[in-house]
């Protein structure tokens, strides 16, 4: 017997199917999806690989065919729909099939050493039967062991001792008599079910709620689609607090009752104990959790529970989309708009796209949920590609949308409040503390590119061609600064900058971070405890959980942080939310800056007034009258969408045209500039010969937002085209025509940042 394999982690030069012979002793043990070790290359170095096909015979010379070295896992590591997915992902995201296998078969599986067990088996059933009938055995333990093996067959010594309360010496004595045989074998069927989340607390986490008419309608439509086993994608669009989670849980419960599996994805920053407790409390012990803070042993145990079907609900971030779920019937992407569903490193896959690919293969339903859907998803729903399900009311009747208070920071600075906390926000915080309520302050210091903000009107300097914020760059050669647009390459010296809104020329690099804010709060409210949640404060394992539990237990009255505090958290005693530095969210070179600012402010505002007490949200801005802030504060997504889609259509941005990015990086700056110019000439010549129907446009080269990264300088090219397939065609041509060692390039057919 022979097999075709894909090498895990194969580079482009080795990304093809290789044929190996299956040794006679492995026949029957291997299958499509099995993980094996194979000798590869002239030195026969051992490489992990996945079998994609078994064959009885092959054509041609068989003399050079090597044998598989070993079977690395007794059960297949990939199921049939995952195997079918490999080629599609490779094609869509410009990576090797070996890259895809690496995503699907994590290192914890490859490096896992199966436990060695001592197995006990009868030498001969006939001999054992004869000895028992002769009544020559004088030990009841020996009699029990033989009877157990006759009834149950081969088993581990551990199982035998536990079941019969016998000792290893008694088992060994039967081996000495020649009645049983002992053998050491590996076994990965004995991995116990281990939960990494513990038992869910009782109370609100296990309580079931009556569905509203809107929720019931959404659940019924999704379940109807699941029954049809036809790929369906639903966009569950509901304001914050409208009960989207309840819809997910009701659908998931029905699926697992009928023997199916559910992949439940949440952004990594939302993968909190609170979220996990909601899911585990309602769906029981069949929940596996995958996230970056697990040890390799814990990660393997969770993965194995999924592979064997012991875990029917898989909760995790974007990597959860690759889980080997048994009988997959439903994929949920909560907060589907979140940028963390797109990988930032090679291969730059989108979990949303892969979920839809799995849906086409398995017929499972995909539910995309958000209070602020991505513009592309809402456009697809309006066009009929997705089915739109809408929740317009908050699930708790007593929970009303918060009152919005826009604050003009120009006036506040004149009044002497400084640029951190406005006077109205300070007063509201003081009132909340007097009523034993809590406050959340959002300051998303990470997530904007350095630019200049107009001191007169608060607007960032924008490109005259693209209407996106320009990025401030230091010129390494002469020490001057320039403003560069990362879409069209338009560049001006910083001293020539003029505000496109008020024509002013007084600019500032305004901004402060969460650490400075924490220190300031200690001065203003010395008797109130402050918790800070950002990347620095959550580096240690368990830090997320500890901070959230402390705030939920009201051990602190103020929680400050970046975007990780704006999503997926439910604190009924929070009555005041402050959004600080709102203008800086717009000061980004990304065309998605407005969309992200709207989403983040809306999500943050949704943390207020979730209990019985009404909430207030303060938006601190130098231009509080901006329509975007008004839309976000009132959760008027449709108004925002109408404005944003008009802007996208005017500039032919997604979803009207696809965008791709090529990044060339080299350790020597002069070589980078020279080769970037060569690449530019090639691109323009190549695209000039293409059919006009593809609507190609090329921009660049321009320095990347982060020009120097890990000792390498980076230049970017942006390509627009009618669709992603056209852009992929250009990428493939570049891969074929350029030596990757001289022109190291990365490719992205859906860049999320400028």
């Amino acid at each position: 017997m022979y097999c075709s394999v894909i090498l895990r982690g194969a580079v482009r030069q080795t990304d093809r199917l290789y044929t190996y012979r299956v040794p006679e002793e492995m026949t029957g043990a291997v299958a499509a999806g099995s993980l094996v070790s194979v000798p590869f290359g002239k030195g026969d170095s051992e490489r992990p690989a996945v079998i994609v096909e078994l064959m009885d015979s092959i054509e041609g010379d068989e003399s050079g065919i090597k044998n598989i070295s070993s079977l690395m896992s007794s059960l297949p590591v990939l199921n049939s729909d995952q195997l079918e997915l490999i080629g599609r992902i490779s094609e869509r995201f410009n990576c090797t099939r070996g890259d895809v296998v690496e995503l699907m078969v994590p290192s914890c599986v490859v490096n896992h050493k199966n436990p060695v067990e001592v197995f006990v088996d009868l030498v001969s059933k006939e001999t054992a039967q004869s000895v028992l009938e002769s009544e020559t055995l004088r030990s009841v333990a020996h009699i029990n062991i033989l009877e157990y093996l006759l009834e149950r067959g081969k088993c581990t010594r551990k199982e035998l001792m536990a079941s019969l309360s016998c000792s290893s010496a008694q088992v060994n004595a039967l081996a000495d008599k020649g009645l049983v045989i002992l053998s050491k074998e590996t076994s990965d069927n004995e991995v116990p079910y281990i939960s990494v989340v513990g038992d869910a607390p009782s109370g609100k986490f296990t309580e079931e709620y009556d569905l509203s008419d809107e929720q019931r309608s959404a659940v019924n439509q999704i379940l109807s689609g699941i029954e049809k086993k036809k790929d369906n994608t639903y966009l569950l669009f509901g304001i914050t607090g409208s009960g989207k989670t309840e819809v997910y849980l009701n659908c998931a419960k029905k699926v697992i009752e009928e023997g199916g599996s559910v992949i439940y994805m949440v952004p990594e920053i939302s993968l909190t104990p609170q979220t996990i407790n909601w899911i585990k409390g309602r769906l029981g012990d069949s929940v596996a959790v995958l996230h970056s803070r697990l040890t390799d042993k814990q990660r393997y145990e969770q993965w194995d529970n999924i592979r064997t079907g012991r875990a029917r609900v898989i909760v995790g971030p974007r990597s959860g989309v690759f889980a080997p779920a048994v009988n997959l019937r439903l994929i949920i992407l909560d907060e589907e708009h979140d940028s963390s569903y797109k990988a930032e490193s090679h291969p730059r896959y989108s979990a949303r796209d892969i979920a839809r690919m799995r849906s086409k293969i398995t017929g499972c339903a995909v539910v995309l949920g958000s209070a602020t859907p991505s513009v592309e998803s809402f456009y697809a729903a309006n066009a009929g590609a997705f089915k739109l399900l809408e929740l317009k009311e908050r699930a708790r009747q007593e929970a009303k949308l918060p009152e919005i208070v826009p604050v003009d920071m120009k006036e506040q600075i004149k009044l002497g409040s400084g640029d951190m906390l406005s006077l109205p926000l300070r007063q509201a915080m003081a009132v909340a503390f007097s009523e034993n309520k809590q406050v959340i302050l959002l300051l998303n210091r990470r997530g904007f590119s350095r630019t200049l903000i107009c001191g007169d009107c608060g607007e960032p300097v924008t490109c005259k061609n693209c209407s996106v914020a320009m990025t401030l760059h230091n010129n390494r050669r002469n020490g001057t600064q320039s403003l560069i647009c990362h879409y069209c390459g338009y560049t001006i010296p910083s001293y020539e900058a003029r505000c496109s809104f008020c024509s002013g020329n007084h600019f500032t690099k305004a901004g402060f971070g969460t650490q400075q804010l924490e220190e300031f709060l200690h001065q203003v409210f010395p008797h109130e405890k402050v918790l800070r949640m950002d990347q620095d404060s959550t580096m240690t394992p368990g830090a997320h959980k500890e901070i959230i539990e402390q705030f939920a237990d009201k051990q602190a009255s103020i929680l400050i942080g970046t975007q990780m505090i704006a999503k997926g958290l439910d604190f009924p005693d929070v009555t005041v939310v402050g959004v600080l530095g709102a203008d800086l969210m717009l000061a980004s070179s990304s065309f998605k800056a407005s969309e992200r600012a709207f989403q983040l402010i809306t999500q943050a505002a949704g943390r207020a007034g979730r209990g019985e007490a009404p909430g207030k949200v303060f938006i601190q801005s130098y231009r509080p009258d901006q329509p975007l802030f008004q839309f976000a504060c009132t959760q008027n997504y449709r108004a925002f969408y109408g404005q944003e889609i008009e802007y996208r259509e005017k500039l032919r941005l997604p979803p009207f045209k696809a965008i791709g990015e090529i990044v060339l990086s080299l350790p020597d700056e002069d070589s980078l500039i020279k080769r970037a110019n060569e690449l530019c000439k090639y691109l323009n010549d190549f695209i000039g010969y293409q059919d006009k129907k593809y609507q190609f446009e090329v921009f660049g080269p321009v320095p990347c937002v982060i020009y120097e990264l890990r000792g390498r300088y980076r230049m970017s090219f942006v390509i627009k085209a009618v669709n992603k397939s056209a852009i992929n065609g250009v990428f493939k041509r570049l891969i074929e025509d350029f030596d990757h060692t001289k022109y190291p390039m990365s490719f992205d057919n859906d860049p999320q940042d400028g």
Side-chain angles (χ1 to χ4, degrees):
M1 181 181 284
Y2 301 87
C3 65
S4 293
V5 306
I6 296 173
L7 298 176
R8 181 181 180 273
V11 295
R12 295 196 184 275
Q13 294 89 330
T14 59
D15 189 42
R16 64 182 183 85
L17 296 178
Y18 292 93
T19 301
Y20 283 85
R21 183 181 289 106
V22 179
E24 191 173 332
E25 64 269 20
M26 290 188 197
T27 304
V30 297
S34 289
L35 180 66
V36 294
S37 179
V38 297
F40 184 75
K42 292 182 179 178
D44 283 345
S45 60
E46 290 297 321
R47 295 280 301 274
V50 167
I51 294 176
V52 294
E53 185 183 6
L54 291 172
M55 303 158 292
D56 291 327
S57 60
I58 58 171
E59 295 181 2
D61 183 18
E62 301 178 15
S63 59
I65 303 296
K66 300 175 184 179
N67 282 359
I68 291 173
S69 300
S70 63
L71 180 62
M72 299 177 71
S73 181
S74 64
L75 295 175
V77 296
L78 298 181
N79 55 36
S80 58
D81 80 280
Q82 289 176 294
L83 289 170
E84 193 173 339
L85 203 56
I86 292 172
R88 300 189 189 192
I89 294 176
S90 171
E91 185 78 14
R92 179 66 177 272
F93 297 107
N94 306 287
C95 61
T96 68
R97 287 172 292 186
D99 289 331
V100 182
V101 170
E102 197 165 25
L103 291 170
M104 292 181 172
V105 185
S107 58
C108 66
V109 176
V110 176
N111 298 330
H112 177 72
K113 302 299 182 188
N114 293 327
V116 175
E117 294 275 8
V118 176
F119 281 81
V120 185
D121 198 7
L122 294 170
V123 173
S124 161
K125 287 186 177 181
E126 292 75 15
T127 302
Q129 192 71 49
S130 174
V131 168
L132 288 172
E133 289 174 356
S134 69
E135 298 183 350
T136 55
L137 287 178
R138 295 294 177 260
S139 168
V140 69
H142 292 170
I143 294 169
N144 290 340
I145 291 169
L146 293 182
E147 287 179 342
Y148 189 91
L149 292 172
L150 280 169
E151 182 181 347
R152 304 286 184 91
K154 182 178 179 180
C155 66
T156 65
R157 184 168 62 185
K158 189 185 297 181
E159 177 190 332
L160 203 62
M161 290 163 60
S163 301
L164 302 178
S165 299
C166 62
S167 66
S168 59
Q170 290 167 327
V171 178
N172 294 340
L174 282 176
D176 293 339
K177 292 177 184 291
L179 295 175
V180 301
I181 186 168
L182 304 181
S183 59
K184 288 185 178 181
E185 299 177 23
T186 59
S187 170
D188 59 0
N189 296 321
E190 300 298 317
V191 176
Y193 184 92
I194 296 178
S195 170
V196 297
V197 297
D199 295 328
S202 57
K204 68 176 184 177
F205 293 112
T206 56
E207 185 178 344
E208 295 197 23
Y209 299 90
D210 293 332
L211 298 179
S212 67
D213 290 342
E214 289 178 336
Q215 289 173 315
R216 191 174 297 106
S217 174
V219 169
N220 289 340
Q221 289 187 63
I222 294 167
L223 292 179
S224 175
I226 292 171
E227 277 181 31
K228 293 174 183 173
K229 294 190 176 180
K230 190 176 168 185
D231 69 289
N232 284 308
T233 300
Y234 300 88
L235 178 60
L236 183 61
F237 169 44
I239 62 171
T240 56
S242 60
K244 294 183 290 295
T245 301
E246 200 63 31
V247 173
Y248 304 148
L249 294 174
N250 274 265
C251 292
K253 185 177 181 181
K254 183 69 172 175
V255 167
I256 60 178
E257 283 175 354
E258 295 179 354
S261 290
V262 179
I263 294 176
Y264 192 137
M265 282 184 282
V266 296
E268 178 81 36
I269 57 173
S270 297
L271 198 58
T272 63
Q274 200 176 48
T275 303
I276 295 168
N277 283 338
W278 279 117
I279 299 168
K280 187 174 174 61
R282 293 284 296 280
L283 301 179
D285 288 330
S286 63
V287 176
V289 181
L290 303 171
H291 59 76
S292 60
R293 292 178 178 83
L294 297 180
T295 65
D296 277 352
K297 184 180 181 207
Q298 289 174 324
R299 192 174 287 111
Y300 177 79
E301 286 161 350
Q302 296 300 292
W303 178 88
D304 191 63
N305 290 335
I306 297 165
R307 171 180 64 161
T308 56
R310 288 176 288 188
R312 290 288 181 171
V313 181
I314 301 102
V315 183
R318 66 170 177 260
S319 58
V321 77
F322 299 111
V326 176
N327 188 22
L328 180 61
R329 304 303 321 130
L330 175 63
I331 302 176
I332 297 165
L333 275 86
D334 191 23
E335 311 288 7
E336 69 86 26
H337 62 273
D338 197 279
S339 60
S340 70
Y341 285 127
K342 174 73 192 301
E344 296 176 354
S345 57
H346 180 80
R348 290 178 167 84
Y349 69 89
S350 160
R352 182 172 54 198
D353 289 353
I354 292 176
R356 298 196 67 212
M357 289 180 185
R358 286 193 85 166
S359 172
K360 291 183 185 302
I361 295 170
T362 64
C364 73
V366 176
V367 178
L368 310 175
S370 178
T372 55
S374 65
V375 169
E376 291 86 346
S377 290
F378 203 71
Y379 182 83
N382 285 334
F386 301 167
K387 294 183 180 179
L388 182 63
L389 308 174
E390 195 165 354
L391 305 177
K392 300 177 182 178
E393 301 291 335
R394 280 199 156 180
R396 297 177 188 164
Q397 294 299 314
E398 70 277 8
K400 304 298 181 185
L401 287 174
E403 176 190 349
I404 308 305
V405 182
V407 181
D408 189 335
M409 291 306 291
K410 295 194 302 292
E411 296 300 320
Q412 290 296 309
I413 290 173
K414 290 176 185 176
L415 292 172
S417 73
D419 63 348
M420 286 198 190
L421 289 185
S422 63
L423 295 177
L425 177 54
R426 291 191 210 185
Q427 291 166 359
M429 291 171 69
V431 171
F433 300 147
S434 70
E435 296 174 348
N436 197 28
K437 299 300 182 183
Q438 295 173 293
V439 174
I440 288 179
L441 299 178
L442 170 71
L443 175 59
N444 202 38
R445 186 69 175 103
R446 291 184 75 240
F448 70 91
S449 302
R450 211 157 50 107
T451 190
L452 297 180
I453 303 291
C454 178
D456 298 323
C457 71
E459 283 292 324
V461 179
T462 55
C463 173
K464 68 176 185 179
N465 302 317
C466 304
S467 299
V468 298
M470 300 180 74
T471 303
L472 194 64
H473 281 265
N474 293 319
N475 190 314
R476 298 174 56 85
R477 299 180 188 279
N478 57 24
T480 61
Q481 292 185 320
S482 300
L483 287 157
I484 301 175
C485 171
H486 284 271
Y487 284 90
C488 71
Y490 177 65
T491 305
I492 57 170
S494 60
Y495 59 81
E496 290 184 11
R498 292 292 181 274
C499 178
S500 58
F501 288 84
C502 70
S503 300
N505 63 349
H506 300 98
F507 298 99
T508 179
K509 297 176 210 169
F512 51 91
T514 50
Q515 291 184 358
Q516 296 99 306
L517 176 61
E518 183 179 18
E519 292 175 5
F520 183 71
L521 286 167
H522 286 313
Q523 298 170 14
V524 179
F525 298 104
H527 302 297
E528 304 298 334
K529 183 174 178 181
V530 181
L531 292 173
R532 174 167 58 89
M533 183 183 282
D534 55 23
Q535 194 171 33
D536 296 324
S537 67
T538 56
M539 292 179 69
T540 57
H544 279 88
K545 179 180 180 181
E546 185 177 345
I547 293 170
I548 291 167
E549 286 182 349
Q550 285 181 10
F551 196 64
D553 292 341
K554 300 191 73 171
Q555 296 177 31
S557 49
I558 306 173
L559 176 63
I560 65 173
T562 53
Q563 60 175 330
M564 61 180 67
I565 69 171
K567 305 171 186 179
L569 300 176
D570 188 359
F571 302 115
D573 283 321
V574 170
T575 56
V576 174
V577 169
V579 179
L580 315 185
D583 303 292
L584 297 176
M585 297 180 193
L586 297 171
S588 166
S589 61
S590 172
F591 73 91
K592 290 178 174 282
S594 295
E595 178 181 358
R596 288 179 178 164
F598 173 82
Q599 290 164 342
L600 191 53
I601 294 170
T602 302
Q603 294 287 342
R607 300 312 106 199
R610 295 175 77 91
E612 295 180 6
K616 278 189 177 182
V617 179
F618 294 82
I619 310 294
Q620 296 190 168
S621 167
Y622 287 90
R623 284 200 66 211
D625 57 340
Q626 283 201 76
L628 181 141
F629 294 145
Q630 301 299 320
F631 298 153
C633 295
T634 56
Q635 298 213 18
N636 191 345
Y637 176 84
R638 289 183 183 276
F640 162 76
Y641 173 80
Q643 175 181 279
E644 183 69 10
I645 204 72
E646 185 179 337
Y647 154 69
R648 300 273 187 101
E649 185 172 20
K650 181 180 177 182
L651 295 179
R652 305 304 293 167
L653 294 167
F656 298 98
K657 286 186 79 172
I659 288 181
E661 183 181 31
I662 303 160
V663 174
L664 177 68
S665 67
L666 286 165
D668 180 71
E669 191 173 16
D670 292 331
S671 298
L672 174 72
I673 293 169
K674 178 185 175 185
R675 290 176 192 172
N677 289 331
E678 293 170 0
L679 190 58
C680 178
K681 183 178 184 307
Y682 175 93
L683 274 172
N684 282 297
D685 288 346
F686 175 72
I687 292 223
Y689 288 109
Q690 301 307 303
D691 195 313
K692 299 298 181 187
K693 70 180 181 181
Y694 295 120
Q695 301 175 32
F696 282 118
E697 298 175 72
V698 180
F699 305 95
V702 296
C704 291
V705 174
I706 303 174
Y707 180 47
E708 186 179 4
L709 182 66
R710 301 186 186 96
R712 299 178 74 90
Y713 300 95
R714 309 186 309 152
M715 298 289 273
S716 166
F717 296 84
V718 172
I719 301 175
K720 286 186 182 179
V722 67
N723 55 36
K724 290 181 182 178
S725 295
I727 289 173
N728 280 345
V730 177
F731 290 169
K732 286 175 185 173
R733 188 63 181 264
L734 289 173
I735 291 167
E736 291 170 3
D737 290 357
F738 284 83
D739 181 351
H740 184 70
T741 59
K742 291 183 179 178
Y743 298 84
M745 291 176 278
S746 63
F747 305 94
D748 191 345
N749 61 22
D750 184 21
Q752 299 295 301
D753 293 295

